[in-house]
Amino acid sequence: MTESTAIQTDAVIIGAGPAGLFAVFELGINDIKCHVIDILDKAGGQCAELYPEKPIYDIPAVPVCTGTELTERLMKQIEPFSPVFHLGQMAEKLTKLQDGKWRIETDAGTVIDARIVVIAAGGGSFTPKRPPIKDIEAYEGKSVFYAVRKKESFRDKNLIVAGGGDSALDWALNLQPIAKRITLIHRRNEFRAAPDSVAKMRALVEAGKMDLKIANITAINGADGQVQSLSLIDDAKNTTNVACDTVLAFYGLTMKLGPVANFGLTLQDSLIPVNTADFETSEPTIFAIGDINVYPGKMKLILSAFHEAALMARKAFLYIHPDKRYRFQYTTSSSDIQGKLGVGKNAA
């Protein structure tokens, strides 16, 4: 991989939760372009994945909002800076280049060269939970998957989607038009997904365009990594086999530090120590903000992450624009910043 074939940018942010999204804003008003990597298939981090409808009460000047609402507002706030998102990808490898830049490689093959790296990965990477099915490991990555990298990979497949949350329902609905047949399997006839998605799924089932099985998966059947069927048992203890050639399982996520642990940074109890002047790590030009960092007096609050992002961006400016003088400006009075945001007298 050469510099000409790698994506070139000022900053790479690992993590698209509130800390990472606000970092886009703070870097943006300092004329720093960003690419954002996140293992989830949507922005929002823990807010979007673990408590999308749970109320949050400690965002300054916002008495109450859900994780989804907070994410939507942050995404709206960073629109003027046109960040590039690489979702559904894990930042797998970090390498220092001869010119001082960092090369970040993802498990999806994306390669990005950047002057600074901002790790905003919360408690670490979300790792899919493996269904408690004997020998399922032999099928993983061949005919059993825990995420959708490319929709086309599922075209004309006899597909089973297992799970009852948003990810399961969303992908069942999105893949239904291109799959040969989709069977949704969930252990109970109640779903954690958005009501609209559940209604659409039930309509497809009623129309005969999708199958729904309320049962537990007891076994996977096949050979050489190729699934042929799943064995099921329902509440009445009836057993059956459902034929398939591909399985998408959405059994939730766990938090692990993941590949970040191998980035060569100093670690303390699986967290990244930083200074409190600019939240730089033991490696110059690599910063850590949000729940993944640690320092004396650290409080794991979203508002703390916002503060950390602001101070990080000031130091990042000095690295990205060494020939310029940093000028502290208020968004309320700076015509320059207001112009970048598309507001005020200098709005386009």
Side-chain angles (χ1 to χ4, degrees):
M1 178 66 65
T2 64
E3 181 173 327
S4 60
T5 53
I7 297 169
Q8 303 295 314
T9 190
D10 295 329
V12 165
I13 299 172
I14 300 174
L21 295 179
F22 194 65
V24 172
F25 178 83
E26 289 294 332
L27 291 168
I29 62 176
N30 283 287
D31 297 318
I32 298 173
K33 295 180 174 61
C34 301
H35 280 240
V36 185
I37 301 170
D38 200 288
I39 195 170
L40 297 178
D41 58 7
K42 57 182 177 293
Q46 293 183 53
C47 281
E49 189 66 24
L50 300 184
Y51 44 92
E53 299 301 322
K54 184 178 179 180
I56 303 171
Y57 299 102
D58 60 354
I59 304 301
V62 181
V64 61
C65 68
T66 65
T68 296
E69 289 169 341
L70 178 61
T71 300
E72 290 173 347
R73 294 177 187 182
L74 286 165
M75 291 293 285
K76 181 67 176 178
Q77 189 176 35
I78 64 178
E79 276 184 4
F81 305 115
S82 302
V84 180
F85 286 88
H86 305 273
L87 300 175
Q89 302 185 39
M90 178 183 289
E92 203 167 43
K93 186 178 180 182
L94 180 68
T95 308
K96 188 70 171 285
L97 302 179
Q98 289 185 347
D99 62 2
K101 291 182 180 179
W102 294 100
R103 173 160 291 174
I104 298 91
E105 301 175 48
T106 78
D107 62 347
T110 302
V111 181
I112 307 172
D113 293 348
R115 184 71 182 88
I116 67 166
V117 175
V118 181
I119 302 174
S125 298
F126 285 99
T127 303
K129 290 181 180 178
R130 176 180 286 138
I133 304 170
K134 185 180 179 181
D135 298 328
I136 194 172
E137 298 92 335
Y139 299 86
E140 292 173 346
K142 299 175 183 177
S143 57
V144 172
F145 305 92
Y146 302 115
V148 176
R149 299 288 189 231
K150 295 181 180 179
K151 287 177 61 176
E152 279 301 307
S153 300
F154 299 90
R155 182 174 291 277
D156 299 324
K157 297 294 186 181
N158 188 3
L159 174 64
I160 283 180
V161 178
D166 283 310
S167 293
L169 270 291
D170 287 348
W171 281 117
L173 294 173
N174 276 286
L175 294 174
Q176 187 273 332
I178 67 171
K180 181 179 179 180
R181 189 69 182 179
I182 284 188
T183 301
L184 179 66
I185 298 176
H186 187 43
R187 58 188 172 83
R188 55 197 178 98
N189 201 20
E190 295 175 357
F191 297 85
R192 303 182 310 279
D196 181 62
S197 297
V198 176
K200 289 178 179 177
M201 177 272 294
R202 293 196 186 280
L204 287 171
V205 171
E206 187 174 347
K209 297 180 179 180
M210 181 188 296
D211 296 318
L212 173 64
K213 301 289 186 182
I214 305 302
N216 284 298
I217 301 171
T218 57
I220 185 168
N221 311 302
D224 300 322
Q226 178 56 58
V227 62
Q228 296 173 354
S229 68
L230 295 183
S231 298
L232 310 181
I233 185 169
D234 62 20
D235 288 343
K237 305 303 180 183
N238 298 311
T239 60
T240 185
N241 283 348
V242 179
C244 64
D245 53 38
T246 310
V247 176
L248 261 174
F250 297 101
Y251 277 52
L253 301 164
T254 57
M255 295 293 289
K256 294 183 179 179
L257 190 57
V260 171
N262 301 318
F263 283 2
L265 303 173
T266 298
L267 297 177
Q268 178 182 321
D269 297 327
S270 296
L271 298 172
I272 303 175
V274 293
N275 68 56
T276 53
D278 47 45
F279 304 95
E280 202 164 20
T281 68
S282 59
E283 186 69 47
T285 67
I286 297 183
F287 302 84
I289 62 174
D291 286 359
I292 201 164
N293 75 14
V294 64
Y295 54 84
K298 169 71 179 185
M299 296 182 70
K300 291 189 175 184
L301 295 173
I302 294 174
L303 64 89
S304 299
F306 291 167
H307 160 77
E308 293 163 13
L311 294 187
M312 171 279 297
R314 181 175 63 183
K315 181 64 174 289
F317 176 90
L318 303 179
Y319 285 129
I320 301 299
H321 304 293
D323 56 331
K324 297 181 180 180
R325 183 173 65 89
Y326 179 85
R327 293 190 303 125
F328 176 78
Q329 302 177 84
Y330 293 105
T331 58
T332 52
S333 57
S334 169
S335 58
D336 176 50
I337 292 178
Q338 290 175 7
K340 295 172 186 175
L341 297 175
V343 299
K345 295 180 180 179
N346 287 348

